[in-house]
Amino acid sequence: MTKDVIALTPRMPDTWALLAGLYAAGPEAGVTAGSGGAVLRLCAPDGRPLVSVEAPLLVQVPGEAERLLGREVPVPFWWTEARASGAVPGAERLAGSVCGRLALLLGGSTWPGTAGTEVVDVRAAVAPDDGQPVVDVLTDTTSVVLSDRPVLALTTWLSEVLRGTSESGRALQIVTPPHVRLSAPARATLLQVPGRWVVQDPAQGYYDGLSGAVLRWRDGTFAPALGADGTAPVAEAFGRTSPSSDRQLVVAFRTTLPAHEDIVLGKALETAWRALTGSAPAGWGTAEPVNLPWSPRRLTDLARDRAPEPTHLLVTGHPGRPALAWIRVTRTTAGVEQDVTLTLGYGEDEEPPLEAITPLAGTLVAEHGLTTMLTSLRRAPRDLTTAPVLQAPTVPVAFTLGARDVRGIGLTHARRPPVAVRPVALGPASEPALHYPLGDGSDAGALGTLHRLAAHLRTGVPGEGTGTET
């Protein structure tokens, strides 16, 4: 099932090196570009796509190759990824030859192993003429991609496939063996888009890697195999898990800043990162692998160039402390909003810094325009990946409501929820934010407390309270 091949080279693949790689398909093949030139498509003589090749990416962030491929590669290095169409027998040899030629010319290596350099005859190739980056099966409703890499990440290629399937009105379904794991950004993306992670279990067939529902191929798509009662059974393989001693701390927050020329984005995330890890993030980018050294100024410039369209960004930490974040920057009538989800991993003998959450909330309120923040803890792998097995529930630790929303709900109402929680006032007494401690992440009952708190806050009275009540 392996269709992906990656060249990891210490030298930049220049135009001549790329041409030498692409010439692995012989002189009859053609090349087209997509995603603004970020993805090249190596095509058969009739224009049908055979292999997609991502533009070479200079990775300057330590640990990314190990995180995604399980291989240590000293930085900086160039990451060039090729993917073959599953609809073309032997196309994986062509993808391997493209990357093998780059490694031969530039030094370095290829993943998953040594790749050849031979010319592959593509004159008789037949592949779907879909106008998208290479997919393996294309139906009226669904684009299906096969993958067999250690970690399925949110690469430039996958982002382009998501964009293409969305524009065509299709859903994306990614089929993997059971040993494949999702990176945190890939998991978050699949939960939001019309897509599905389909796991092919050797003994039981297909099931959904995030819900466990047994799946069947029907009418051109993988769909739940509904029983007589209208529900889908859960695959036995999905329940083959043991309680994890690892934990993940998840801090999800939103900030709103006035839109002005001097605005610098990413500072709130850096503040949270320093408070919880002791250092700034290591790098940022728009896809995985995360390739650029951390720079709020450059991040801001990119978001400004893309405005008024939203900007989606990924941020990673140093190898010693697994940490990943994704940011969505949006221009609204209220200003510039940053929706941030920061996830950090901890092993059996490591304690998540829960004592830092309340001071962090105070700093974000005072300096970064915090609107809301939800902090949670869950039993999950330290490396921040997701396996296709039942996951332990996320348990809330604290919820913070910014001053603007407290004012809209009414201070008196917000300070007196019908739960055994006493909120802590943050910021100026005349217009405070409220921080609600919910526990230490060990009691699943905190989820019910959060739901009751949220329901109470939704029934607030606009304008109630002046900030002077006792």
Side-chain angles (χ1 to χ4, degrees):
M1 187 183 292
T2 299
K3 307 295 181 183
D4 304 327
V5 185
I6 303 168
L8 306 166
T9 62
R11 293 159 51 200
M12 181 183 74
D14 58 16
T15 301
W16 293 109
L18 286 172
L19 285 174
L22 296 174
Y23 199 70
E28 296 87 0
V31 178
T32 61
S35 192
V39 178
L40 300 177
R41 305 185 188 103
L42 192 56
C43 303
D46 63 357
R48 298 172 186 268
L50 306 174
V51 172
S52 67
V53 183
E54 293 186 16
L57 188 69
L58 177 60
V59 178
Q60 304 174 69
V61 181
E64 284 296 275
E66 184 176 7
R67 179 174 72 87
L68 299 177
L69 302 176
R71 177 182 297 182
E72 291 188 20
V73 180
V75 293
F77 66 90
W78 291 87
W79 174 300
T80 308
E81 184 161 338
R83 190 179 196 283
S85 168
V88 181
E92 63 272 15
R93 288 196 303 118
L94 178 55
S97 185
V98 171
C99 291
R101 289 173 172 228
L102 293 179
L104 180 65
L105 289 170
L106 305 170
S109 61
T110 59
W111 179 93
T114 302
T117 59
E118 72 273 21
V119 174
V120 180
D121 188 354
V122 298
R123 288 174 293 182
V126 178
D129 186 11
D130 50 43
Q132 301 183 52
V134 175
V135 297
D136 297 299
V137 178
L138 189 72
T139 72
D140 291 340
T141 61
T142 307
S143 295
V144 179
V145 170
L146 308 179
S147 182
D148 185 11
R149 54 200 297 169
V151 177
L152 181 63
L154 189 62
T155 61
T156 301
W157 175 84
L158 183 56
S159 297
E160 176 70 3
V161 170
L162 286 166
R163 186 181 301 108
T165 54
S166 176
E167 291 174 352
S168 66
R170 294 181 174 93
L172 175 65
Q173 297 185 341
I174 303 176
V175 182
T176 76
H179 64 261
V180 172
R181 296 163 290 139
L182 295 186
S183 73
R187 178 181 184 274
T189 301
L190 283 178
L191 286 172
Q192 295 174 7
V193 302
R196 191 185 296 278
W197 179 19
V198 181
V199 179
Q200 185 177 15
D201 184 76
Q204 296 187 316
Y206 299 95
Y207 69 94
D208 189 299
L210 296 177
S211 72
V214 174
L215 303 174
R216 295 288 182 268
W217 180 259
R218 184 173 64 248
D219 299 327
T221 192
F222 284 100
L226 302 180
D229 61 354
T231 63
V234 175
E236 179 184 346
F238 190 69
R240 294 175 189 162
T241 181
S242 56
S244 174
S245 58
D246 292 355
R247 287 173 290 180
Q248 294 177 6
L249 179 64
V250 183
V251 183
F253 61 90
R254 173 180 293 175
T255 66
T256 303
L257 298 173
H260 55 73
E261 287 299 319
D262 296 331
I263 189 174
V264 178
L265 304 176
K267 285 294 188 180
L269 174 59
E270 180 174 330
T271 295
W273 214 290
R274 290 185 181 277
L276 299 174
T277 72
S279 65
W284 72 284
T286 58
E288 295 180 281
V290 175
N291 65 310
L292 298 170
W294 176 245
S295 171
R297 178 62 64 183
R298 293 186 64 185
L299 182 156
T300 303
D301 291 342
L302 176 64
R304 182 177 287 115
D305 290 343
R306 292 186 173 185
E309 295 299 316
T311 297
H312 299 263
L313 302 167
L314 304 177
V315 183
T316 191
H318 299 277
R321 167 59 58 217
L324 278 167
W326 41 102
I327 311 175
R328 184 176 190 267
V329 180
T330 312
R331 181 70 167 89
T332 69
T333 55
V336 180
E337 293 188 355
Q338 298 174 88
D339 287 285
V340 178
T341 300
L342 168 59
T343 305
L344 305 102
Y346 299 88
E348 180 178 4
D349 300 325
E350 299 174 311
E351 285 298 323
L354 300 185
E355 72 285 350
I357 297 302
T358 301
L360 170 60
T363 302
L364 294 178
V365 165
E367 301 177 10
H368 299 284
L370 182 72
T371 303
T372 60
M373 184 170 83
L374 177 62
T375 304
S376 306
L377 201 61
R378 63 186 175 205
R379 296 281 179 179
R382 183 181 186 271
D383 65 5
L384 308 183
T385 61
T386 296
V389 295
L390 181 65
Q391 303 293 312
T394 299
V395 179
V397 171
F399 177 70
T400 309
L401 193 66
R404 185 185 67 181
D405 285 359
V406 169
R407 182 174 65 250
I409 290 169
L411 180 57
T412 300
H413 186 85
R415 291 176 68 178
R416 298 175 181 174
V419 293
V421 172
R422 291 183 61 86
V424 177
L426 303 174
S430 59
E431 195 173 11
L434 293 178
H435 179 74
Y436 302 85
L438 300 173
D440 62 1
S442 63
D443 181 8
L447 184 58
T449 301
L450 176 63
H451 287 165
R452 292 192 296 275
L453 171 62
H456 173 75
L457 295 175
R458 282 195 295 268
T459 62
V461 181
E464 175 196 305
T466 63
T468 60
E469 298 93 339
T470 60

